Amino acid sequence: MSKTFTAKDVAEHKDEKNGMYIIVDNGVYDIATFLDEHPGGAKILKRMAGKNATKQFWKYHGKSVLEKYGGKLKVGDLAETAKL
């Protein structure tokens, strides 16, 4: 069973020591081990750590990128929250 995270949980993971989590759609990904591999450099990943990166991710990446790397980086799913 996949672990579920709130946006607050993700926000607590924004450095390499605690893990660097981002949200893309409803998935939560730990990008700390991907910093050196990222073609756009580590700087942008560090800037997005702890945040919802959905808009930025889809602006620069296609579905194939998430399919290729998502499986090894995904740590869980975003908990559903009530939208008022």
Side-chain angles (χ1 to χ4, degrees):
M1 185 174 174
S2 182
K3 187 168 180 180
T4 303
F5 296 89
T6 64
K8 184 179 178 184
D9 295 332
V10 173
E12 294 172 358
H13 293 86
K14 55 186 174 192
D15 57 56
E16 292 178 69
K17 179 182 174 187
N18 295 314
M20 299 178 77
Y21 291 7
I22 62 168
I23 299 166
V24 176
D25 293 332
N26 291 322
V28 177
Y29 302 87
D30 186 350
I31 56 171
T33 61
F34 189 66
L35 296 176
D36 293 333
E37 294 179 52
H38 188 248
K43 185 177 181 180
I44 188 65
L45 293 180
K46 289 179 180 180
R47 190 178 313 143
M48 293 308 302
K51 300 176 184 173
N52 188 328
T54 301
K55 183 177 177 182
Q56 292 83 354
F57 181 87
W58 291 119
K59 182 176 181 180
Y60 297 105
H61 305 88
K63 183 179 176 183
S64 63
V65 174
L66 196 57
E67 290 172 349
K68 182 176 181 179
Y69 297 103
K72 71 177 185 175
L73 300 176
K74 189 170 184 179
V75 293
D77 295 300
L78 187 63
E80 290 188 33
T81 56
K83 295 182 180 180
L84 302 175

